[in-house]
Amino acid sequence: MDPLLALRPWETPEVTSWGRLPMNATDRRPGALKLDGDWRFQLLPAPDAPVAEVWSSAYVPGVWTMQDTDDLPQYTNVRMPYAEFPPLSPADNPTGVYERTVDVPAEWAGRRIVLQVGAAESVLLVHVDGRPVGISKDSHLAADFDLTGLVRAGERAVVRLTVVKWSDASHIEDQDQWWHGGVTRSVLLYATDPLHLADVSVRAGRYGELRVDCRVREAGGGGALPEGWYVSGELDGHLLTQDTEFDRANTDDDRVSDFLGEARLQTTVADVRTWNAETPELYDLTVRLHRADGTVADASHHRVGFRDVEIVGRDLLVNGERVFVRGVNRHDFHPLTGRTVSYDDMRADLVVLKRFGFNAIRTSHYPGDPALYDLADELGFYVVDEADIESHDHAHEIADDPRYLNAFVDRVSRMVLRDKNHPSVIIWSLGNESDYGANHDAAAGWVRRHDPTRPIQYEGAAKLGWADPDLASDIACPMYAALEDCVAHALSGEQTKPLIQCEYSHAMGNSNGTLADHWAAIESTPGLQGGFIWEFWDHGILQRVNDGRPVGRGGAGLYDNGVAAPGHRWAYGGDFGERIHDGAFIADGVVFPDRTPKPVMYEHREIAAPVRLECFRHEGVVVGNHQHFRGTDWLSARWELALADGGTLTAPAELPDLRPGETAAVPLPFELPEDGGEAWLTLRVTTADDEPWAPRGTVVCLPQVRLRAAAPFESSAPVVQNRSVEVDGEGLLVHPLLASAPVLSLWRAPTDNDELGGTALRWRTWGLDTPVRKVVDVRRVAGQVTVHAEYATEPGVVRHVQVFTPVEGGIRVEERAELPDGLADVARVGSVFETAAGLDLMEWYGQGPWESYPDRGFGAPVGHHCVPVDELFTPYLRPQESGGRHGVRRFTLSAPDATGLTVALDEPRQVSVTRYRADDLTAVTHHDELVPRAGCVVHLDAAHRGLGTASCGPDTSPSYLIAPGVHRWSWTLRAL
């Protein structure tokens, strides 16, 4: 019997590997033979099922769940997708068999030949020419296998990769993501000298000290290093000194195991350029292993960043500076390939994050592709590197289960061994949502011994006590902790560790309310240092509507600006026929599945602005530099003055030369008109030159300050006497520009936060989604009409009064709604009406141009904005309330012939204009089911409830809730 199958590794947690080479930090990608492409493939029902004679094909790297097999993607959050208790796996266990013929280069004769499988889910078995090679678990780290004795240079070999989907390891890979199966990262074949660099460890501190520890190993192990062999190092063209002669191993020396020798190189770099996320300075290091005659037997290349990470008191310091961690959680994801992402994909991810003010990534919840860390080093990101451990459904049992001890230590240690030389990695994470037990302590102990230069974090330990010094986590890293609890802890006098939330502000649907409030508290409260938004991606898979299958790799061009092409949609949990799934909870990112930024990204960009307008005072506008390490010389700027009644004025801006933390007053660039109208000054800050993550002229931030408040509201048109307002028998306004009259609205199409947080159920129980309007009285006096109406709800009657008054050019509408005490916390209080067809353009003065809400409006500057009506709606994956604009003073809806209507509001209000009624949005589950209306659906809200993040985390703050009692608002409708 096949010895690999005899081990039954899919149900044996004690077996973490067999025949797999040790992990190390030498990068073998340069010069390797890539085996990516089409492989022969077949999908078996179980790992011990016989392999058939008929083969299809599958692309590597890739998951078979996205490549036209009958095993489709499945999404679960906490629950395992099968009932078996750990370590067992189901009998129905899809198993992919990949096979291809490899031509081994003739020039590799006499060399050590290694196969590297970048990642496979979840158990990998390797055979060459029918002979067993090895086993690997851990779905997100590479496995290397020595093929030297199995293949011959210049000849062909048949490589077979058998990938078992479910195993004991699946129980500790129970992450909030799609379940797939396949070979998800590149497969390489590379060669080295039999005596080769087995590992290189680099430590580079902020004062320029560099230490490079090298280990040499011989294929097969054993023996002693030949006399005269040596190691050299070169940093940006300068040679390093060898601190010691080779420590030549004795084969009986357990300390060095099968290593033949160790050497240390070191130097001190004068005037060192330090690495940080703002100025990610890198040096090129080459380490060479030389034979006795001086020829090079092996070499390893590294990019070195000189930086220190330490915790002092309750502060996390980078190069001695307390930095704010503006982070996001990032999964490997692509809407066409599932788990497989290319170098270009990863770079595009980080470029988007950089442009919107993020400086940190948590690799939720497993180590990323090696290229991700190269890019983080280059572009400048602080990385929390997280081990591939999450046992969410069976966390309590597994945390102390000795059968899983080896797996915990193996996964954590291999991550550290691979990624230890990356300056971007500043924190090691022991995993996610796996309770806390002896297995974590064992893994933490290994890390502390091997790499004392970085702190460790683990939320499962930290939640037992944010200040407890005896737990494995050096950082208090809670999930979705209430802001008031974080502030109270920081002010308690008991805090001992930095408080940096590993997850906060859940980005599901129309969400991320109070993000600015969080950061106002973080920046003003010592002890609070930031956190990681959940998460980067909406994990919508592009799906064909006609057959319900994933589109796959050939679907490029079938989506744009967050919207799938006709006949396609973004699939979420349950859309592939799964019986066990968690619905749209997978759609919780700050970007859509095609990487289009959601409106929250603009909110974050302003919260993280490197340059800010602190205030306006007599001597001018105060400009501040809020960076940690960088000056303002890399930025350009332009002033924009938005006048309520005078359009927008612009002028060049000369940014003061400010070091981090400095401020300076800048003279006001404009002379304010004396008309007394509202005025807002914006500084449009852009990149002065090309940056690695942005071309010259890219907007960095739009800080704004109000120079003058609005004058008290007065109607701009006199009442027209003896002209009546037309109201029908139901007390409804009749107007040629309106398709339906304005009525009271207390309901919104529930957001994901509303649904999962429970407020939508309460609103439905109250009957707010199906209000019945009863006209109590209609009075006509001198052309003015007053309508009294009542709306019955479960807690009591809502009384609504509308007063329609003819004014020059239109109608003034004054409204009052009285909510009974039982109606505390409704969705909105305002008017809703529909316009005639043909009005396709909205122009407004207020916050914009992107979507904003009362608790998510910091990133939408006040100004004059213009957007087509069809682009005002935000296509969140599950249709819901969207498209709102906060702080609108007035707006116009116009047709191409310049006809239309304009609305002036009594004060800045929440306004939305879309093609959909709330009922249209609540009646469907995907956007391909929506049918836009010809006219516009317009909401004018006296009050609108905040968004919060209650789908997973705290709801909005009490200040953004709507209280019962009397609400008043007024507006004027005119024809253009």
Side-chain angles (χ1 to χ4, degrees):
M1 183 180 182
D2 187 326
L4 300 188
L5 291 175
L7 286 172
R8 301 187 66 83
W10 53 91
E11 60 182 17
T12 314
E14 291 84 353
V15 176
T16 58
S17 68
W18 181 83
R20 187 181 67 193
L21 295 174
M23 182 60 79
N24 61 80
T26 55
D27 185 3
R28 300 299 181 180
R29 288 171 294 170
L33 177 64
K34 257 193 171 181
L35 302 184
D36 295 353
D38 289 318
W39 287 52
R40 297 185 292 276
F41 177 77
Q42 54 183 284
L43 187 62
L44 308 179
D48 46 8
V51 176
E53 294 182 2
V54 179
W55 296 81
S56 60
S57 68
Y59 192 87
V60 173
V63 291
W64 67 65
T65 43
M66 301 285 287
Q67 298 192 53
D68 288 323
T69 70
D70 291 330
D71 184 32
L72 297 176
Q74 181 176 4
Y75 165 61
T76 62
N77 174 21
V78 177
R79 298 176 293 175
M80 288 296 292
Y82 50 82
E84 281 74 9
F85 204 79
L88 302 179
S89 53
D92 295 331
N93 192 352
T95 300
V97 181
Y98 298 82
E99 192 174 278
R100 67 161 290 170
T101 301
V102 177
D103 291 313
V104 182
E107 58 268 27
W108 288 3
R111 294 172 65 77
R112 166 180 172 259
I113 299 173
V114 179
L115 175 73
Q116 181 182 95
V117 181
E121 299 183 20
S122 69
V123 175
L124 170 68
L125 294 81
V126 179
H127 295 77
V128 172
D129 290 335
R131 290 175 287 179
V133 176
I135 293 170
S136 180
K137 298 182 185 179
D138 188 350
S139 295
H140 297 92
L141 282 175
D144 287 33
F145 301 93
D146 192 337
L147 307 187
T148 307
L150 300 173
V151 298
R152 294 174 64 88
E155 297 184 2
R156 288 189 159 189
V158 176
V159 175
R160 174 178 290 184
L161 309 178
T162 302
V163 181
V164 184
K165 183 175 184 179
W166 305 122
S167 71
D168 60 90
S170 302
H171 292 283
I172 56 171
E173 295 180 357
D174 181 19
Q175 290 120 355
D176 179 11
Q177 59 179 334
W178 292 100
W179 291 98
H180 290 293
V183 179
T184 56
R185 294 179 188 158
S186 289
V187 180
L188 307 176
L189 195 68
Y190 66 86
T192 71
D193 194 274
L195 267 69
H196 55 277
L197 290 168
D199 197 15
V200 174
S201 296
V202 179
R203 290 186 183 177
R206 77 178 190 266
Y207 298 112
E209 64 278 16
L210 174 66
R211 191 182 93 186
V212 182
D213 291 301
C214 311
R215 283 186 165 184
V216 175
R217 187 174 186 270
E218 183 179 21
L225 189 71
E227 287 294 331
W229 284 56
Y230 64 98
V231 170
S232 71
E234 186 177 329
L235 184 74
D236 274 7
H238 299 284
L239 294 177
L240 279 62
T241 59
Q242 185 166 318
D243 186 47
T244 62
E245 291 296 317
F246 252 117
D247 178 7
R248 300 176 188 279
N250 184 316
T251 55
D252 296 328
D253 186 350
D254 292 335
R255 181 178 63 85
V256 293
S257 185
D258 58 353
F259 289 102
L260 299 183
E262 298 177 328
R264 175 171 297 170
L265 306 172
Q266 64 180 27
T267 191
T268 299
V269 178
D271 301 319
V272 67
R273 305 184 311 273
T274 56
W275 185 98
N276 59 74
E278 294 168 13
T279 56
E281 298 282 356
L282 294 171
Y283 292 73
D284 289 315
L285 170 69
T286 301
V287 177
R288 298 183 179 92
L289 172 64
H290 298 267
R291 302 180 183 91
D293 62 2
T295 58
V296 176
D298 198 7
S300 184
H301 304 278
H302 306 265
R303 303 204 74 190
V304 176
F306 288 82
R307 64 102 184 95
D308 290 337
V309 181
E310 57 186 331
I311 292 176
V312 176
R314 56 181 185 170
D315 294 326
L316 174 71
L317 307 181
V318 175
N319 296 338
E321 294 289 330
R322 180 179 185 268
V323 297
F324 286 123
V325 177
R326 305 182 186 277
V328 72
N329 288 274
R330 180 196 170 277
H331 274 290
D332 283 345
F333 171 76
H334 193 281
L336 301 179
T337 57
R339 189 94 68 239
T340 297
V341 290
S342 68
Y343 174 89
D344 289 341
D345 292 330
M346 288 180 278
R347 195 177 203 286
D349 291 354
L350 299 196
V351 163
V352 167
L353 287 170
K354 197 77 175 178
R355 291 183 184 180
F356 284 91
F358 291 91
N359 69 357
I361 297 166
R362 177 176 173 232
T363 66
S364 55
H365 298 292
Y366 41 79
D369 187 284
L372 180 73
Y373 303 83
D374 296 339
L375 288 163
D377 294 342
E378 172 196 338
L379 298 176
F381 283 91
Y382 303 123
V383 174
V384 173
D385 204 2
E386 189 151 274
D388 188 11
I389 299 172
E390 179 170 341
S391 55
H392 208 157
D393 199 13
H394 299 285
H396 183 67
E397 305 95 290
I398 290 178
D400 284 308
D401 189 336
R403 294 175 297 176
Y404 280 93
L405 174 62
N406 287 346
F408 274 57
V409 176
D410 184 64
R411 288 165 182 249
V412 172
S413 63
R414 293 182 76 236
M415 171 186 72
V416 172
L417 288 167
R418 188 195 69 169
D419 298 334
K420 61 190 174 186
N421 293 340
H422 288 281
S424 57
V425 176
I426 65 168
I427 298 169
W428 302 117
S429 170
L430 303 179
N432 184 67
E433 293 177 321
S434 301
D435 208 318
Y436 178 48
N439 293 342
H440 295 97
D441 285 334
W446 187 94
V447 176
R448 294 193 196 285
R449 178 71 175 89
H450 186 82
D451 179 27
T453 69
R454 294 176 176 92
I456 294 171
Q457 76 171 48
Y458 176 57
E459 181 268 342
K463 72 181 180 182
L464 298 180
W466 291 356
D468 190 335
D470 297 325
L471 302 176
S473 187
D474 299 318
I475 294 170
C477 50
M479 286 184 178
Y480 309 107
L483 177 59
E484 55 269 25
D485 292 344
C486 295
V487 172
H489 178 67
L491 299 178
S492 68
E494 300 176 356
Q495 184 180 7
T496 61
K497 304 175 181 180
L499 199 158
I500 305 170
Q501 292 208 58
C502 67
E503 294 178 23
Y504 81 109
S505 194
H506 192 252
M508 185 178 182
N510 193 357
S511 187
N512 301 107
T514 72
L515 187 62
D517 302 68
H518 269 76
W519 275 96
I522 289 167
E523 293 192 5
S524 61
T525 309
L528 304 186
Q529 222 170 322
F532 296 81
I533 291 174
W534 185 266
E535 64 169 310
F536 180 56
W537 283 103
D538 269 359
H539 292 222
I541 291 176
L542 190 65
Q543 181 186 44
R544 294 188 294 264
V545 175
N546 62 344
D547 63 7
R549 301 183 73 84
V551 172
R553 295 177 64 246
L558 293 176
Y559 45 78
D560 185 46
N561 290 323
V563 178
H568 301 80
R569 67 180 183 183
W570 301 123
Y572 49 75
D575 287 339
F576 295 109
E578 313 103 293
R579 182 178 58 84
I580 300 174
H581 66 85
D582 286 306
F585 206 70
I586 193 70
D588 49 10
V590 292
V591 300
F592 288 104
D594 64 350
R595 209 180 286 107
T596 297
K598 289 184 180 178
V600 66
M601 292 288 272
Y602 298 94
E603 182 89 345
H604 188 274
R605 188 178 70 182
E606 294 312 309
I607 291 168
V611 173
R612 305 183 192 176
L613 302 184
E614 310 289 351
C615 60
F616 169 55
R617 57 193 189 204
H618 178 70
E619 61 268 33
V621 180
V622 178
V623 179
N625 179 357
H626 282 252
Q627 300 171 101
H628 298 295
F629 300 98
R630 203 172 190 185
T632 54
D633 57 332
W634 65 285
L635 299 169
S636 292
R638 190 169 186 83
W639 294 110
E640 298 177 353
L641 178 64
L643 301 169
D645 300 314
T648 302
L649 306 177
T650 65
E654 190 73 33
L655 277 178
D657 185 10
L658 300 175
R659 291 179 298 180
E662 289 186 338
T663 61
V666 178
L668 190 65
F670 302 99
E671 193 135 341
L672 278 178
E674 297 181 0
D675 62 7
E678 187 178 16
W680 289 82
L681 182 67
T682 301
L683 186 64
R684 180 174 290 270
V685 181
T686 60
T687 52
D689 296 296
D690 290 346
E691 295 284 328
W693 46 271
R696 177 182 179 182
T698 299
V699 174
V700 175
C701 56
L702 299 169
Q704 186 176 69
V705 65
R706 188 173 67 180
L707 301 183
R708 189 163 59 201
F713 175 78
E714 294 181 10
S715 175
S716 59
V719 174
V720 178
Q721 300 298 327
N722 302 318
R723 185 181 296 173
S724 63
V725 176
E726 187 175 351
V727 173
D728 66 14
E730 297 297 320
L732 297 173
L733 177 68
V734 178
H735 192 283
L737 293 174
L738 301 185
S740 69
V743 295
L744 178 68
S745 176
L746 304 173
W747 166 258
R748 69 186 181 196
T751 65
D752 292 316
N753 291 331
D754 297 337
E755 291 286 12
L756 297 177
T759 54
L761 176 61
R762 185 169 70 248
W763 295 338
R764 290 188 179 97
T765 302
W766 289 344
L768 302 186
D769 57 330
T770 55
V772 177
R773 179 176 180 269
K774 176 185 176 183
V775 177
V776 177
D777 183 48
V778 178
R779 299 179 186 178
R780 293 176 170 84
V781 178
Q784 185 182 74
V785 179
T786 301
V787 178
H788 291 257
E790 293 180 348
Y791 293 78
T793 71
E794 189 274 335
V797 173
V798 177
R799 293 178 172 82
H800 181 220
V801 179
Q802 292 175 306
V803 180
F804 302 107
T805 304
V807 297
E808 189 65 44
I811 300 169
R812 183 190 308 151
V813 185
E814 299 168 280
E815 306 197 57
R816 183 179 79 249
E818 183 177 353
L819 278 61
D821 290 343
L823 277 186
D825 187 17
V826 297
R828 62 174 12 128
V829 178
S831 314
V832 60
F833 61 86
E834 296 178 27
T835 72
L839 306 184
D840 299 328
L841 186 70
M842 180 176 174
E843 300 174 76
W844 75 97
Y845 177 66
Q847 291 184 242
W850 28 82
E851 177 191 271
S852 56
Y853 283 83
D855 62 349
R856 202 193 67 217
F858 186 80
V862 175
H864 298 274
H865 306 289
C866 180
V867 175
V869 170
D870 291 339
E871 296 177 15
L872 293 169
F873 182 70
T874 306
Y876 297 109
L877 264 64
R878 189 190 66 80
Q880 57 195 272
E881 162 66 33
S882 80
R885 288 340 188 245
H886 191 56
V888 175
R889 283 75 164 161
R890 65 173 181 268
F891 65 91
T892 296
L893 296 174
S894 60
D897 62 2
T899 61
L901 59 84
T902 183
V903 172
L905 297 144
D906 57 342
E907 62 181 78
R909 300 289 190 182
Q910 181 78 18
V911 171
S912 74
V913 179
T914 71
R915 300 293 191 194
Y916 306 105
R917 297 174 181 170
D919 289 348
D920 297 336
L921 300 174
T922 55
V924 302
T925 58
H926 294 79
H927 281 272
D928 63 292
E929 304 165 21
L930 282 172
V931 179
R933 295 181 179 273
C936 301
V937 179
V938 181
H939 280 274
L940 314 176
D941 293 333
H944 195 103
R945 188 190 195 276
L947 300 170
T949 64
S951 56
C952 188
D955 200 348
T956 192
S957 300
S959 59
Y960 300 113
L961 301 180
I962 299 175
V966 176
H967 297 264
R968 291 184 172 86
W969 67 105
S970 63
W971 47 285
T972 302
L973 171 70
R974 295 186 179 86
L976 288 178

